[in-house]
Amino acid sequence: MYHQNRIKQCPKVIILSDTNNNQIIKLLDKSKILRISRQHGGERYIKRFDSWTHLVVMLYADIKRFDSLHEISASLQAEARKLCHLGILIMPSRSTLSDANRRCSESIFEAIYRDLYDTYHYRLLSDSRRGKTPKWMKRLQIIDSTTITLFSNLIFKGVGRHPKTGKKKGGIKVHTVIQANEGVPSDIKFTSAATNDSFMLKPSLLNKGDIVAMDRAYLDYGKFEKLTQIGVIYVTKMKKRLKYRIQEDMMYQTPDGLMEVRLQKVIFTKEQPNKEIITHQARIITYPDVSKRKLISLLTNDMDTDPSEIIAIYRQRWAIEMLFKQIKQNFPLKYFYGERANAIKIQIWVTLIANLLLMVMQRSLKRSWSFSGLATMVRITLMYYVDFYSLFNHPEKDWETRLKATAESPSIQLAFFD
């Protein structure tokens, strides 16, 4: 078992530049993080392993994609010479990390994420380099959820059963809101997998002129009517077998006589549990999806906008699916460093923080990188003494310099005979 030892003095080595990891955590404000921790009671009775060290170690583990506390502590032992440059002054053991994940409230990491989002979302994450984007993009919010499967049904209640074994696994559902032009979560809530998604649609948090795109799980006539009253546009997919009364019905065809789009103005009537009757007017836009070979029906309270724009807004909903895929593919969310709900939530918050920091660095580069490619390269070079921006803007530079030097000074081959 590894022991927790204090690193008394940094080794005397010549450092040409910071480690890649140090350049990542420079995006964090240590004093602000410790202040947030104190506000949530996180520094009470803590002597050495404070919230800053906890966060840095967890970020290191998350970016390196370690699957266990053993891997984390063993790797830190191997990188002992470089830890002081990250502000880590102790060698945390597995038990120290386990205790911290159990004791430290996940609300601290939630507050850190929200502070980082407030710091960077307008300045760097609202990317203006994507070329011409529709005017509605800045007003569009996308709502969806993803379920992370857990090893037990006792922590978070699962939903559904395994198709082969019939066993029900636990799952934590991550409810997410993103701004379409940012690509990172602006709001997150955790629930059990059995929780219905519709609670995340909150008209009171939206403003006149906002646009909301979501899937059919969020269908709620009462909330839709409130959105209409405050001037918020929603676009969602239709559920089957909805009952409504048609007011207008028009179909547009292509020159070949095929259906291009069908527009229907309809009225929905719904009786609430308190016997109140809700009436909601909406528009159904039906169009053929050639790739899937089926008809898609969208529901919106926008009665005037061109149908092609409504369809484009709904298709932009795919951005949140890509975000979920990005997070699950590039960070370790199949194995958790603790069995308690608090430890699981801490790991997810740290994953969201790591994703946000890498997105900020990606947007700061002149060279175009895919997120997966960037995450892989950062994982490889994380503890190297290299300049992040120089390396990732021109990764071939060192090799080209070496080839040039070789060409200018070719090796001299000695001959046996003159």
Side-chain angles (χ1 to χ4, degrees), residues 245-263:
R245 187 171 74 255
I246 299 175
Q247 291 183 306
E248 294 182 14
D249 194 344
M250 299 178 62
M251 183 182 292
Y252 296 88
Q253 295 181 326
T254 65
D256 299 329
L258 301 176
M259 188 187 88
E260 183 177 10
V261 66
R262 181 182 181 184
L263 306 178

Side-chain angles (χ1 to χ4, degrees), residues 121-133 138 181-182 363:
H121 84 100
Y122 182 76
R123 182 158 51 93
L124 285 171
L125 294 173
S126 297
D127 194 357
S128 59
R129 298 177 298 168
R130 298 180 181 179
K132 295 181 180 179
T133 56
K138 292 183 179 180
N181 64 326
E182 294 176 355
R363 299 285 172 84

Side-chain angles (χ1 to χ4, degrees), residues 38-51:
R38 284 191 289 270
Q39 290 172 352
H40 290 79
E43 300 305 303
R44 194 174 299 167
Y45 310 120
I46 300 300
K47 294 182 179 179
R48 293 182 292 178
F49 198 75
D50 57 18
S51 294

Side-chain angles (χ1 to χ4, degrees), residues 111-142:
I112 292 171
Y113 176 85
R114 296 188 186 280
D115 179 78
L116 286 170
Y117 175 79
D118 291 340
T119 301
Y120 291 112
H121 84 100
Y122 182 76
R123 182 158 51 93
L124 285 171
L125 294 173
S126 297
D127 194 357
S128 59
R129 298 177 298 168
R130 298 180 181 179
K132 295 181 180 179
T133 56
K135 293 181 179 180
W136 47 260
M137 185 70 79
K138 292 183 179 180
R139 299 185 288 128
L140 176 60
Q141 297 185 30
I142 307 169

